[in-house]
Amino acid sequence: MMTVALWAEPAEQLKLPVDWERLEAFQGRVERADFERELREIYAPGGRWEDWMRFDEGGVWIRRSADESEAYYLAFARSGETEPTRRSSGLGGLKIAIDPGHLGGRWAEMERRHFAIGDGEAVREGDLTLATAKRLRALLSERGAEVWLTREDDQPATRYRAEDYFAEADRRLAESGLSESEETYEEQRNLLAERLFYRDGEIRARARRLNWMIRPDLALALHVNAVGWPDPENPSLVDQNDLHVLVNGCYLPSEVADDAQRFEMVWRIVNGYHEQEIALARTMARTMVEATGLPPYQYSGDNAISMDEEGYIWARNLLANRVFDCPVVFLEPWTANSKAVYQWAALGDYEGKRLVGGEEVKSLPALYAAFVFEALLRHFGE
């Protein structure tokens, strides 16, 4: 499992030391063809990994850092000597971690995951994902799965708060050349400290819980997508409504050049996580489309690559799907700030059905949990 400092100071937790020797357990266990294919097609197709790795007849030299004199050697298996990945049969005994994406309650506004149109009710993604996670846990537990949540309520998993990251924010702003005398300094400092809290510190705290305590067979990261407002000064609902599923991959050159991210990328390759992620993602995407009828979301930048012909499955390098030490599948159904979803999402979780847009419907968390549960039943053979 990933080594982390449980009680490190806030800034120290954002960049932990890399222990390349942990790869010793994988010496002679990975075939070159598999390793190189995953680099080229999944993890770093445009990431300039050639600057950091050199193959020879028996293995690959991986630079530990920018220092050319330091490299780690991973020996490859001879063709045909690796063992095929085995999948559990049925949900009984399967260990599943559910990560309810983002934070809810009063934290949602800081995280920019809270919005309302006019006098309408607010939509908080973190509240919707937590309600979905609790419903899903109940369904899975009835089938014998062992299920944990990375958070049980709307409180952060980390014991730190935004103000604990002021020193790190000051350091980074100084590196960027922003002077404390500038008029916007305090605002920039506060915004950066908040991002370090909820985007880095919070996710790493969940990773520590998952990697040290839960140690699951797989993790499901539950989210509800949203898109930018056409006019941020005058928010109005959009027509777009779609879905997609994410697996880890598509490391950018700057990310491959980062010592920790380069190690984490290699760690996921040697563990064979992608094979399991993409198989589950296919089942998830198919089941989600059947339940919702939604079209696929399309990425236009270089930070994601498509993993299927239909365009529903994408590889992205996100912190959670990189540092959660197991196969991780991110789910992004619906567009919360769309005309089709806002009113329904704003109702939150409820029992039974309610009238929305002239139709009696179950709550968003109830439907969400139901189709994820169905996909897991299909995937694991029940």
Side-chain angles (χ1 to χ4, degrees):
M1 291 292 161
M2 292 286 188
T3 302
V4 292
L6 288 178
W7 307 116
E9 291 304 306
E12 294 172 351
Q13 292 187 351
L14 301 182
K15 194 170 182 63
L16 297 168
V18 179
D19 182 9
W20 287 91
E21 305 309 318
R22 292 173 55 231
L23 293 173
E24 285 298 297
F26 297 92
Q27 293 289 356
R29 290 179 54 184
V30 180
E31 291 188 17
R32 172 174 177 162
D34 295 333
F35 188 96
E36 193 167 0
R37 183 188 66 253
E38 294 205 1
L39 271 178
R40 293 185 183 279
E41 298 179 4
I42 301 161
Y43 286 97
R48 295 186 60 83
W49 57 267
E50 298 93 338
D51 295 343
W52 300 92
M53 300 182 195
R54 178 174 58 83
F55 290 88
D56 65 19
E57 289 187 4
V60 59
W61 292 95
I62 309 169
R63 289 168 60 187
R64 298 172 185 248
S65 68
D67 183 351
E68 292 278 0
S69 66
E70 290 190 51
Y72 179 84
Y73 188 73
L74 177 68
F76 291 133
R78 287 180 291 185
S79 181
E81 289 188 351
T82 56
E83 296 182 3
T85 302
R86 292 180 172 82
R87 195 181 74 183
S88 302
S89 178
L91 293 174
L94 193 69
K95 297 177 70 174
I96 301 175
I98 303 176
D99 182 46
H102 302 289
L103 293 167
R106 69 184 183 90
W107 304 98
E109 209 159 347
M110 175 195 290
E111 207 180 358
R112 283 72 178 171
R113 299 287 171 172
H114 166 290
F115 75 91
I117 300 297
D119 295 328
E121 293 295 324
V123 172
R124 301 179 183 87
E125 181 180 354
D127 290 342
L128 292 171
T129 59
L130 181 61
T132 302
K134 290 182 175 180
R135 283 181 174 271
L136 181 57
R137 176 171 59 185
L139 293 170
L140 291 168
S141 297
E142 288 180 359
R143 291 301 185 104
E146 300 177 39
V147 186
W148 292 264
L149 274 56
T150 59
R151 66 179 176 97
E152 292 283 348
D153 51 37
D154 61 13
Q155 294 303 300
T158 177
R159 64 191 180 106
Y160 298 115
R161 296 296 181 262
E163 56 268 24
D164 295 310
Y165 293 92
F166 281 157
E168 177 64 10
D170 286 333
R171 186 188 69 78
R172 295 191 183 192
L173 290 175
E175 284 185 352
S176 73
L178 187 68
S179 169
E180 291 188 32
S181 63
E182 294 190 36
E183 185 177 345
T184 62
Y185 185 86
E186 186 173 352
E187 179 185 0
Q188 294 298 317
R189 179 201 200 202
N190 289 339
L191 288 173
L192 179 53
E194 288 175 356
R195 285 198 299 271
L196 290 171
F197 155 63
Y198 65 74
R199 188 176 294 174
D200 290 86
E202 172 63 13
I203 292 175
R204 291 184 186 278
R206 297 185 194 192
R208 290 192 294 277
R209 180 175 296 178
L210 185 147
N211 297 339
W212 280 68
M213 300 170 61
I214 302 174
R215 300 189 177 188
D217 298 308
L218 64 95
L220 299 172
L222 307 182
H223 292 256
V224 179
N225 202 19
V227 296
W229 302 108
D231 178 4
E233 299 300 320
N234 184 29
S236 59
L237 298 176
V238 301
D239 293 319
Q240 179 178 340
N241 189 27
D242 43 40
L243 68 83
H244 64 290
V245 180
L246 294 169
V247 297
N248 185 250
C250 196
Y251 288 56
L252 299 173
S254 61
E255 295 166 344
V256 177
D258 181 87
D259 298 342
Q261 293 193 58
R262 187 167 61 260
F263 172 82
E264 289 156 354
M265 177 182 72
V266 173
W267 181 259
R268 301 192 74 81
I269 292 174
V270 298
N271 274 281
Y273 290 157
H274 179 77
E275 179 184 350
Q276 300 170 66
E277 287 176 353
I278 200 67
L280 178 55
R282 288 194 182 104
T283 309
M284 280 289 173
R286 185 169 60 250
T287 308
M288 290 164 71
V289 172
E290 290 174 4
T292 66
L294 292 175
Y297 176 85
Q298 293 294 312
Y299 282 92
S300 58
D302 60 358
N303 65 333
I305 53 174
S306 178
M307 292 281 103
D308 66 331
E309 293 182 359
E310 296 78 15
Y312 284 100
I313 303 171
W314 294 81
R316 282 191 68 189
N317 177 27
L318 303 172
L319 181 59
N321 69 7
R322 188 177 73 248
V323 299
F324 287 3
D325 190 10
C326 63
V328 184
V329 174
F330 262 65
L331 307 179
E332 294 271 9
W334 299 296
T335 302
N337 58 332
S338 69
K339 295 173 183 175
V341 176
Y342 168 66
Q343 182 186 359
W344 179 43
L347 292 174
D349 196 18
Y350 52 83
E351 296 302 324
K353 294 183 177 182
R354 290 190 185 178
L355 188 64
V356 181
E359 182 181 357
E360 294 281 339
V361 294
K362 294 181 178 180
S363 73
L364 185 151
L367 180 57
Y368 197 165
F371 62 62
V372 175
F373 178 60
E374 174 63 24
L376 291 169
L377 288 178
R378 292 180 181 184
H379 187 71
F380 291 103
E382 292 198 11

